[in-house]
Amino acid sequence: MSDRIFGVVGMLLALGYVLAALAIEESFLSDAVGPKAFPLIIAAILGLSSAVIAFRPDPEPKWPALGRLVEIGAAIVVMILYAELLPVAGFVIATAFAAAYLAWRLGSALLEAVFVGIGTSIGIYVIFHLVLGLSLARGPWGF
């Protein structure tokens, strides 16, 4: 039943994409394809995929226990907090805390998760900021 619901929701979303794409006003300076083509392609792929899911569903899935659902919810909250705190705390600090928490919940020991979080944060900072020169959110200490 859950696959059928998911498929119908996907088909409704595809219909929304089509309606939004058709509402795009075309400029007289547009290319041969036009601005409507890409959203219509996405809508077609989404609609066909959702139809397959709705009309050929898998057997009923086994949902995780309540404890696992709470852990998934906590990981979602951590990712939302990460996005919110990134401009305030900076990339290095926010990423270290988020990566440490997620590593801990994935089975690392607490101290090991802290080292993984710090290593991940510094490693990404070095590659993306120092080597590639990309701009990352600066924290209160300038990095």
Side-chain angles (χ1 to χ4, degrees):
M1 183 64 166
S2 59
D3 279 355
R4 292 184 195 272
I5 293 170
F6 182 69
V8 169
V9 169
M11 287 189 289
L12 291 174
L13 185 63
L15 180 63
Y17 265 65
V18 168
L19 294 175
L22 294 177
I24 295 174
E25 293 184 26
E26 294 190 36
S27 170
F28 67 92
L29 293 174
S30 67
D31 57 4
V33 177
K36 296 179 183 182
F38 184 70
L40 288 174
I41 291 169
I42 297 296
I45 293 170
L46 177 62
L48 290 173
S49 302
S50 297
V52 169
I53 291 171
F55 296 123
R56 296 184 59 202
D58 289 337
E60 275 302 310
K62 282 192 102 164
W63 288 92
L66 181 61
R68 289 285 183 200
L69 289 175
V70 169
E71 285 186 29
I72 293 169
I76 292 169
V77 168
V78 165
M79 296 309 296
I80 291 169
L81 287 174
Y82 173 70
E84 291 295 322
L85 293 176
L86 194 61
V88 177
F91 178 82
V92 174
I93 295 169
T95 302
F97 278 106
Y101 174 79
L102 294 174
W104 175 59
R105 293 316 308 146
L106 287 172
S108 295
L110 189 56
L111 188 59
E112 183 181 10
V114 169
F115 288 127
V116 166
I118 293 170
T120 300
S121 176
I122 292 173
I124 293 173
Y125 180 80
V126 166
I127 292 170
F128 283 95
H129 184 69
L130 300 179
V131 174
L132 297 176
L134 299 175
S135 178
L136 299 173
R138 291 187 179 268
W141 294 291
F143 56 86

